[in-house]
């Protein structure tokens, strides 16, 4: 045998010996004549009984008690013990997540940096931070433990035109994003995620838009199997969702999930730092002082777009609305994606009651439904949700079409992109990124002809740049 074969044989013999030991521990030791070693078997049974039953009684008496039919009182007592045990287990899980020193460690800060550097490593401030990462993270941790947020206070405002709307987004530097990411990933998200309903999938890892669309299709197919296309669908939208979220509700949620005082203070500091950065723009000194005092007393209103904490709180603050509809009213076909809500039921009166419940629960957290965007329609007529138009046919078949306005908007974009590329103010890669995002999203709908026409338009304008071998 060669040297390599001897090593392989030795490893195989070792694996066989370990497997035999595991088998002996699991099934007991057998004699050569095939009979069972009763002494070892009795010992193993006694050990198993001691692990499964209560202590303080003889083993066979415990087994006999366990085999007797349980009385209702015993059932209630077991359920009460299970509740206490699960509560203790939850507290053990929550304690390190809600402790400031357990959250802000060098390891958690480094994990946050690895996430926040993706896609932005070309930026100068990110490269400088990565070059001195260990030193900067150590300084960040020390300043946080002292109760200070020593980060670059530069906040840039970016104005985006999205579907005819002007949206203001605040962007912060990499060190502030690392702190926010560590705070959310290692503390806020794990503690709040367990309180959300199943059908609130926005910004939740493993869910997102695709999961929301799949769940909606499942709900509509279930109702179509029972009622055909005679059931009703209600869609709604909150008015200026992020602008109406209150800071006091954020503090209330922080206390509900049992964060310590330092984590609560840091969360409130992150929530109000964007508005504090704009105080110098207020010309009137008295008004500026009143606004600063309002923010200091946690009475501010409005969370910014672009902050991870704002996205998390946008899921958690209206959580009472979701539980009221799902748990109290028992509506299965209900879904919320940030500020968009959807509910379906057999009758219009039931959905009107759902809408009233949503309106009353939303008023408690300072939100209100947009009357223009709230409507109850029949399933045969169809409705729009997450940029897809859903409709149920007479035979109960669910049809999913792309919204017409989005198709027209993409065609106009491609033609404008072609002109900008000819002028040299835009790159082909940017046009490809925009088109590929739309093209991938179109596969969620029954839009073969639309994809085919849009793909041919892309080929005519950009000569099929990076789209060779791609079919509708």
């Amino acid at each position: 045998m060669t040297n390599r074969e001897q090593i392989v044989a030795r490893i195989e013999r070792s694996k066989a010996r370990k497997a035999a030991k595991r088998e002996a521990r699991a099934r007991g030791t057998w004699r050569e004549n095939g009979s069972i070693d009763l002494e070892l078997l009795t010992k193993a049974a006694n050990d198993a009984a001691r692990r499964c039953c209560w202590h303080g009684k003889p083993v066979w008496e415990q087994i006999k008690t366990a085999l007797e039919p349980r009385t209702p009182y015993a059932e209630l007592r077991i359920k009460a013990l299970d509740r206490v045990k699960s509560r203790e287990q939850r507290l053990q899980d929550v304690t390190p997540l809600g402790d400031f020193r357990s959250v802000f460690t060098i390891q958690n800060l480094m994990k946050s940096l690895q996430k926040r550097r993706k896609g932005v490593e070309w930026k100068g401030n990110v490269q400088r931070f990565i070059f001195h990462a260990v030193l900067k993270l150590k300084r960040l941790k020390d300043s946080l433990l002292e109760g200070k947020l020593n980060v670059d206070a530069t906040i840039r405002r970016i104005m985006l035109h999205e579907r005819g709307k002007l949206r203001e987004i605040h962007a912060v530097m990499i060190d502030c994003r690392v702190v926010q990411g560590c705070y959310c990933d290692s503390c806020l998200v794990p503690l709040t995620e367990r309180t959300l309903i199943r059908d609130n999938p926005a910004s939740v890892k493993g869910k997102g838009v695709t999961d929301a669309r799949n769940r909606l299709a499942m709900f509509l197919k279930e109702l179509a199997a029972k009622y055909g296309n005679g059931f009703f669908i209600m869609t709604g939208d909150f008015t200026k969702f992020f602008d109406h979220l209150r800071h006091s509700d954020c503090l209330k949620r922080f206390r509900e999930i049992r964060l310590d005082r330092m984590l609560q203070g840091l969360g409130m500091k992150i929530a109000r730092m964007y508005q504090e950065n704009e105080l110098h723009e207020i010309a009137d000194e008295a008004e500026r002082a009143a606004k600063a005092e309002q923010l200091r007393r946690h009475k501010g209103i409005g969370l910014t777009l672009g902050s991870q904490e704002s996205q998390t709180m946008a899921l958690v603050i209206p959580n009472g609305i979701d539980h009221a509809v799902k748990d109290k009213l028992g509506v299965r076909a209900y879904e919320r994606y940030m500020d968009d809500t959807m509910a379906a039921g057999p009758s219009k009166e039931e959905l009107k009651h759902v809408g009233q419940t949503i309106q009353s629960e939303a008023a408690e957290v300072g939100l209100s439904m947009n009357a223009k965007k709230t409507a109850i329609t029949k399933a045969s007529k169809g409705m729009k949700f997450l940029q897809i138009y859903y409709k149920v046919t007479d035979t109960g078949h669910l049809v999913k079409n792309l919204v017409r306005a989005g198709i027209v908007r993409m065609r106009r974009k491609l033609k404008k992109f072609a002109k900008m590329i000819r002028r040299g103010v835009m790159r082909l890669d940017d046009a490809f990124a925009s088109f590929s995002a739309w093209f991938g999203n179109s596969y969620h709908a029954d839009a073969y002809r639309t994809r085919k026409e849009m793909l041919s338009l892309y080929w005519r304008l950009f000569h099929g740049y990076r789209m060779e071998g791609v079919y509708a």
Side-chain angles (χ1 to χ4, degrees):
M1 294 177 67
T2 63
N3 201 11
R4 180 181 179 83
E5 290 174 347
Q6 291 178 6
I7 293 173
V8 172
R10 197 179 305 126
I11 292 172
E12 293 297 329
R13 287 196 300 271
S14 176
K15 287 182 179 179
R17 284 196 299 270
K18 291 179 180 178
K21 288 181 180 179
R22 288 196 298 268
E23 186 74 16
R25 290 196 202 100
R27 299 183 178 274
T29 305
W30 293 74
R31 290 180 178 176
E32 294 181 359
N33 59 3
S35 62
I36 300 174
D37 190 336
L38 293 178
E39 184 180 353
L40 287 176
L41 182 60
T42 304
K43 185 176 181 298
N46 290 342
D47 292 340
R50 290 191 194 96
R51 289 195 299 269
C52 297
C53 303
W54 294 278
H55 295 283
K57 293 183 180 180
V59 173
W60 296 113
E61 187 178 345
Q62 294 177 34
I63 296 175
K64 182 180 177 182
T65 306
L67 294 176
E68 289 178 355
R70 290 174 177 169
T71 62
Y73 174 75
E75 291 283 354
L76 292 174
R77 185 172 180 275
I78 290 171
K79 289 181 180 178
L81 290 172
D82 290 342
R83 281 197 296 271
V84 171
K85 184 179 179 181
S86 63
R87 193 183 305 120
E88 291 174 352
Q89 185 63 39
R90 286 200 302 272
L91 285 174
Q92 290 175 4
D93 296 340
V94 165
T95 302
L97 295 175
D99 178 59
F100 193 88
R101 292 183 177 274
S102 300
V103 171
F104 286 102
T105 61
I106 293 293
Q107 291 79 6
N108 289 341
L109 288 168
M110 183 61 75
K111 289 178 184 177
S112 177
L113 174 61
Q114 295 298 332
K115 282 187 178 181
R116 271 82 217 170
R117 66 186 286 186
K118 292 181 181 177
V120 292
E121 292 182 349
W122 55 272
K123 294 183 178 180
N125 66 325
V126 178
Q127 292 177 0
R128 288 189 292 272
F129 192 91
I130 294 173
F131 190 77
H132 303 285
V134 176
L135 179 61
K136 288 184 176 292
L137 292 179
K138 178 67 168 61
R139 289 176 178 173
L140 271 179
K141 177 190 172 185
D142 293 342
S143 65
L144 288 169
L145 292 178
E146 292 174 3
K148 302 175 184 177
L149 185 61
N150 291 336
V151 295
D152 190 342
T154 305
I155 299 177
R156 296 178 181 175
R157 284 188 288 179
I158 303 171
M159 306 303 293
L160 293 181
H161 292 271
E162 182 184 6
R163 297 195 298 273
K165 297 178 183 178
L166 192 64
R167 298 185 185 274
E168 184 179 9
I169 296 178
H170 294 81
V172 295
M173 296 296 103
I174 182 66
D175 52 354
C176 187
R177 281 193 288 123
V178 167
V179 173
Q180 285 195 46
C182 182
Y183 179 68
C184 292
D185 295 344
S186 304
C187 169
L188 200 57
V189 172
L191 292 178
T192 57
E193 205 172 49
R194 65 186 71 183
T195 66
L196 304 178
I197 63 170
R198 169 63 181 84
D199 296 303
N200 183 8
S203 300
V204 177
K205 186 177 180 180
K207 295 182 182 179
V209 179
T210 301
D211 180 77
R213 288 169 174 167
N214 293 338
R215 293 283 292 181
L216 175 57
M218 182 190 72
F219 291 147
L220 297 181
K221 288 177 182 178
E222 288 178 356
L223 290 169
K226 292 178 68 175
Y227 307 106
N229 63 348
F231 62 95
F232 294 86
I233 306 171
M234 184 193 73
T235 54
D237 193 351
F238 294 110
T239 304
K240 294 185 178 179
F241 183 55
F242 279 87
D243 294 338
H244 288 165
L245 295 175
R246 301 180 300 208
H247 294 184
S248 58
D249 291 323
C250 295
L251 182 60
K252 182 180 177 182
R253 298 304 182 275
F254 293 156
R255 289 170 176 169
E256 286 177 355
I257 59 177
R258 299 185 181 184
L259 299 186
D260 64 17
R261 295 293 297 274
M262 292 189 70
L263 287 174
Q264 292 179 25
L266 179 61
M268 297 309 299
K269 172 63 178 176
I270 294 173
R272 67 173 182 267
M273 64 182 290
Y274 300 93
Q275 295 183 10
E276 288 178 341
N277 186 259
E278 299 174 357
L279 287 176
H280 67 278
E281 299 178 2
I282 302 176
D284 188 1
E285 185 176 351
E287 184 181 353
R288 184 167 61 250
K291 179 71 174 178
E293 180 65 16
Q294 184 185 33
L295 292 174
R296 191 184 66 82
R297 297 173 69 88
H298 312 310
K299 294 183 179 180
I301 297 176
L303 298 178
T304 182
L305 289 170
S307 169
Q308 187 177 354
E309 183 188 275
S310 299
Q311 294 178 354
T312 305
M313 298 316 296
L315 297 179
V316 177
I317 290 176
N319 198 24
I321 302 172
D322 306 332
H323 284 284
V325 177
K326 281 279 191 179
D327 303 337
K328 295 179 182 178
L329 300 183
V331 178
R332 171 171 165 77
Y334 168 82
E335 200 167 38
R336 179 171 71 87
Y337 196 93
M338 283 298 181
D339 59 335
D340 295 322
T341 59
M342 186 285 307
S347 66
K348 188 178 289 188
E349 290 72 21
E350 180 182 338
L351 292 182
K352 285 182 179 178
H353 181 53
V354 171
Q356 293 171 359
T357 303
I358 293 175
Q359 186 70 27
S360 61
E361 292 288 336
E364 294 183 3
V365 291
L367 298 173
S368 62
M369 298 294 291
N370 192 332
K372 294 182 179 179
K373 295 184 178 180
T374 303
I376 299 176
T377 58
K378 209 167 185 179
S380 57
K381 185 178 179 182
M383 61 93 186
K384 184 179 76 171
F385 191 73
L386 297 179
Q387 298 305 308
I388 290 183
Y389 196 82
Y390 296 88
K391 179 181 176 181
V392 181
T393 63
D394 296 335
T395 59
H397 178 66
L398 178 63
V399 179
K400 298 179 287 184
N401 293 323
L402 291 174
V403 177
R404 181 68 183 172
I407 300 171
V408 174
R409 189 164 48 248
M410 193 63 213
R411 284 176 181 162
R412 292 175 179 172
K413 272 186 181 181
L414 291 178
K415 293 174 183 177
K416 289 181 181 179
F417 290 166
K419 294 178 182 178
M420 294 169 70
I421 289 172
R422 284 196 293 269
R423 293 200 307 267
V425 297
M426 189 177 184
R427 300 181 306 164
L428 273 169
D429 286 330
D430 297 331
F432 166 75
S434 178
F435 176 73
S436 60
W438 180 91
F439 196 74
N441 180 68
S442 66
Y443 278 98
H444 291 283
D446 307 325
Y448 170 75
R449 291 183 181 178
T450 304
R451 283 195 300 271
K452 189 175 180 180
E453 293 172 1
M454 197 71 73
L455 190 60
S456 63
L457 176 63
Y458 181 86
W459 271 82
R460 287 199 305 271
L461 295 174
F462 307 105
H463 308 289
Y465 177 73
R466 294 178 64 179
M467 295 295 286
E468 293 85 358
V470 177
Y471 301 95

